[in-house]
Amino acid sequence: KQEVTQIPAALSVPEGENLVLNCSFTDSAIYNLQWFRQDPGKGLTSLLLIQSSQREQTSGRLNASLDKSSGRSTLYIAASQPGDSATYLCAVRKVATDSWGKLQFGAGTQVVVTP
Amino acid sequence: GAVVSQHPSWVICKSGTSVKIECRSLDFQATTMFWYRQFPKQSLMLMATSNEGSKATYEQGVEKDKFLINHASLTLSTLTVTSAHPEDSSFYICSARDVGNYGYTFGSGTRLTVV
């Protein structure tokens, strides 16, 4: 069974520092991996989607890497801002056997960026 | 971008009554939608996978008769919590898979409180 772990569970940094969020998964047979942001009491906003054949994706200040063989993904957020405060979730989609494309989520990393 | 509309955003109901939550894909067709439940400070727990025109597939431990799912069209899935009890109080989130870009779009969630 796929297990997705996110470390750390919580993180607090001063504004301007870079953020590094880690996600690990036990089964490397994934179709893709997606990073989401969730604000309190809200739904999820997709940040980056990395296909299994890709090693990284970038969008503005965000960069996500994927090392499928070691079962790891890292989300980097450069020059953090108070508006980056949220919970960040990673999710993996299994390959093949699950044709509906169910996602397996990590527990999330709660980020607080202080002014 | 792809948008999923979820209504209502919050609802309070009495024990024993039923509540319906709607999830609509606004600008794309979603043959598959997913329903999640989220407890405070925890990650998303998949409840069921909803496929247009067929019966939903429920995850282990989820009561089919309590959580009725209907996916009657390519843009609408509904979750009905029947005979609600206080322990059903939770945050419910739907998600739709956009076949075109392989990503997932989430609704804004519904906060259900059963009193």
Side-chain angles (χ1 to χ4, degrees), chain B residues 4-102:
Chain B
V4 170
S5 175
Q6 185 173 344
H7 291 283
S9 56
W10 61 270
V11 58
I12 301 173
C13 71
K14 293 184 178 180
S15 288
T17 62
S18 295
V19 174
K20 180 184 284 188
I21 302 170
E22 290 191 351
C23 182
R24 292 180 184 271
S25 57
L26 296 186
D27 48 2
F28 66 99
Q29 292 184 333
T31 55
T32 304
M33 288 187 176
F34 305 89
W35 287 95
Y36 296 86
R37 182 172 181 176
Q38 187 177 33
F39 292 102
K41 296 191 182 298
Q42 295 187 29
S43 192
L44 280 69
M45 181 190 78
L46 180 65
M47 298 174 65
T49 302
S50 164
N51 289 289
E52 185 267 336
S54 62
K55 290 184 179 180
T57 301
Y58 291 81
E59 296 298 301
Q60 193 171 9
V62 178
E63 298 177 61
K64 301 178 183 181
D65 294 332
K66 166 164 277 297
F67 300 101
L68 299 180
I69 291 172
N70 182 276
H71 193 160
S73 77
L74 287 172
T75 59
L76 175 64
S77 176
T78 61
L79 167 67
T80 301
V81 182
T82 63
S83 187
H85 289 103
E87 57 264 32
D88 297 326
S89 298
S90 191
F91 192 60
Y92 294 87
I93 308 177
C94 70
S95 160
R97 186 160 66 100
D98 184 344
V99 179
N101 69 11
Y102 309 106

Side-chain angles (χ1 to χ4, degrees), chain A residues 31-32 34 36 38 41-44 46 49 51 89 93 99-103 105-107 110, chain B residues 32 34 36 38 41 43-44 46 49 51 57 59 91 93 97 101-104 106-109:
Chain A
Y31 189 76
N32 59 38
Q34 197 163 359
F36 296 91
Q38 185 177 30
K42 303 292 184 182
L44 276 66
S46 178
L49 170 69
Q51 300 293 351
L89 297 157
R93 178 183 166 184
S99 59
W100 291 322
K102 290 188 287 188
L103 295 179
F105 280 87
Q110 187 174 10
Chain B
T32 304
F34 305 89
Y36 296 86
Q38 187 177 33
K41 296 191 182 298
S43 192
L44 280 69
L46 180 65
T49 302
N51 289 289
T57 301
E59 296 298 301
F91 192 60
I93 308 177
R97 186 160 66 100
N101 69 11
Y102 309 106
Y104 297 77
F106 283 76
S108 54

